[in-house]
Amino acid sequence: MGKDRSYTTALHILAALAVYPGGLLSSEDLAKSLKTNPGLVRRILLKLSKKKLITSFKGKGGGSRLARTATDITLDEVYLAVKEGPLFRSFDKEPFKACKVSCNIGGILNGVYSDLEVGLIEEMKKVKLQKILSEIN
């Protein structure tokens, strides 16, 4: 499984924006908090903006802020905004035709993985961004 941290990065960004409500945070400020480069932050901000989770303003003095309160944002919205493909993946290789496991496991696992992701998204719908904020000291 790959190490895509887009979801974690997006949650970090949204939490930071929620901690500073009303004020604008630049991609540079957010990148410092994440200890990453502003380009990565801007890519995530664009995805969050497209899903109307944040509002961004370009130019000098620009930045981003939450488009809604933390009590109105659910974790599934964030996940669906930044995800790039299925959470789990089966093999992409051509199966070994002499092995019934090799010929069948990909389709079986894809079905299982899809069901797991649907269940996870349903659970995410129950959790608000505010829950994460409430645990930040």
Side-chain angles (χ1 to χ4, degrees):
M1 195 167 22
K3 294 183 180 179
D4 182 5
R5 293 187 179 90
S6 298
Y7 182 57
T8 300
T9 301
L11 288 171
H12 185 127
I13 288 169
L14 293 172
L17 295 176
V19 167
Y20 302 100
L24 296 175
L25 290 180
S26 69
S27 56
E28 289 80 12
D29 293 332
L30 291 164
K32 287 177 191 172
S33 177
L34 283 154
K35 292 191 170 185
T36 192
N37 69 68
L40 170 73
V41 171
R42 283 190 286 276
R43 285 192 296 277
I44 300 293
L45 289 171
L46 180 62
K47 291 177 180 183
L48 296 172
S49 180
K50 284 181 179 178
K51 296 297 182 176
K52 305 205 182 318
L53 295 171
I54 64 164
T55 304
S56 294
F57 302 91
K58 295 180 181 179
K60 186 173 175 134
S64 298
R65 67 175 170 224
L66 290 182
R68 304 189 325 247
T69 66
T71 56
D72 291 330
I73 297 173
T74 56
L75 298 193
D76 67 301
E77 293 178 280
V78 182
Y79 175 72
L80 293 172
V82 299
K83 85 177 218 121
E84 294 183 5
L87 181 60
F88 301 109
R89 290 184 177 92
S90 169
F91 302 110
D92 292 334
K93 300 175 189 173
E94 184 70 28
F96 178 57
K97 295 191 185 330
C99 176
K100 65 182 177 182
V101 173
S102 181
C103 290
N104 292 284
I105 195 76
I108 293 167
L109 290 179
N110 284 337
V112 170
Y113 294 160
S114 178
D115 291 346
L116 288 171
E117 187 167 9
V118 167
L120 179 62
I121 290 169
E122 286 303 311
E123 288 301 310
M124 287 177 175
K125 288 178 181 179
K126 300 174 187 175
V127 183
K128 308 278 188 178
L129 177 62
Q130 183 60 45
K131 180 180 185 329
I132 293 170
L133 295 174
S134 69
E135 297 184 34
I136 295 174
N137 297 325

